[in-house]
Amino acid sequence: SNIKSFEKYLLAANFGVIAVISVAMIANLPSPLLPLQLLWINLVTDGTAGLALAFEKSQKSQKETPAFFQDIFGKFLWRKIFLIAIFMTFGVIFIYYFSLRTLPLELARSAAFIGLIFFSVLNVLNARSLEESLFRLPPFSNLFVWVSVFVSLILSLLTLYFPIFQKAFGLASLPGIYLLEILFMSFAIIGVME
């Protein structure tokens, strides 16, 4: 079950990134993310939050099914993956498009960058179980997930607000109100899967 959870998380996040770039190209918008930003997003989201899912305890119904009978890529899992990826894509494109209308390109990219990270990192909470609602799981049964969410967010905020990282990644400091709005929008990813 941990493999399926990791697959769900990883594939949804990566399909979301590909879709964001593709939709921006089709809409003839400037690229919302630079190559180094994409690498950072993969490192922070897949490398920390995704790996924490390996420590999630299996639910009772998953333990009763022998491993060789579990379909790793079942229809139900694919539906969830695409639903999450589509929601992330529209969320990030919405953030980017409206940021482009009022902010310089560097700030609009910064908004897309942090929006994608927020969506991905918060989605790890959805991936903790394939069957149970997040709100029915014991909240601290996997402390690694919470530590990884915290570490991912702190590293990303450091990248966004420290001048040496801003220069390297092509980012700019977002005003606090924009950051809070993006974070608030990102929490909707939890509601989509519940």
Side-chain angles (χ1 to χ4, degrees):
S1 70
N2 290 352
I3 292 172
K4 283 185 179 182
S5 294
F6 183 71
E7 283 175 356
K8 174 185 157 189
Y9 172 76
L10 190 67
L11 291 173
N14 287 318
F15 285 157
V17 169
I18 292 167
V20 165
I21 301 294
S22 301
V23 169
M25 286 175 54
I26 291 167
N28 204 24
L29 297 171
S31 179
L33 299 164
L34 300 173
L36 194 56
Q37 294 169 355
L38 287 168
L39 288 171
W40 180 257
I41 289 169
N42 278 334
L43 177 69
V44 166
T45 60
D46 300 348
T48 57
L51 291 179
L53 293 171
F55 298 98
E56 193 66 43
K57 294 178 184 171
S58 295
Q59 281 73 46
K60 184 180 177 185
S61 63
Q62 293 170 336
K63 287 180 183 175
E64 292 172 355
T65 307
F68 56 90
F69 286 120
Q70 294 181 4
D71 180 12
I72 291 181
F73 288 107
K75 289 179 186 176
F76 178 70
L77 186 59
W78 278 116
R79 280 189 216 125
K80 281 187 163 190
I81 289 168
F82 284 117
L83 181 64
I84 293 166
I86 289 168
F87 188 80
M88 286 174 64
T89 301
F90 283 113
V92 173
I93 290 294
F94 178 84
I95 291 166
Y96 182 60
Y97 178 77
F98 284 101
S99 296
L100 273 177
R101 296 179 74 178
T102 58
L103 300 171
L105 178 59
E106 193 173 59
L107 277 171
R109 279 188 175 140
S110 299
F113 171 81
I114 201 68
L116 194 53
I117 289 172
F118 283 168
F119 274 112
S120 294
V121 170
L122 292 173
N123 185 44
V124 79
L125 300 175
N126 284 332
R128 289 183 59 205
S129 173
L130 297 173
E131 298 168 357
E132 290 291 321
S133 165
L134 168 66
F135 302 111
R136 290 186 180 166
L137 293 173
F140 300 107
S141 64
N142 184 352
L143 290 177
F144 292 106
V145 167
W146 293 104
V147 169
S148 71
V149 166
F150 179 75
V151 168
S152 296
L153 293 177
I154 293 298
L155 289 174
S156 299
L157 292 173
L158 288 173
T159 306
L160 188 63
Y161 287 103
F162 272 70
I164 191 166
F165 297 124
Q166 287 176 335
K167 188 174 181 181
F169 287 93
L171 297 169
S173 296
L174 284 172
I177 190 70
Y178 285 121
L179 190 67
L180 290 176
E181 288 172 356
I182 294 167
L183 180 61
F184 181 74
M185 282 183 62
S186 302
F187 269 103
I189 193 87
I190 293 173
V192 166
M193 294 314 299
E194 290 305 313

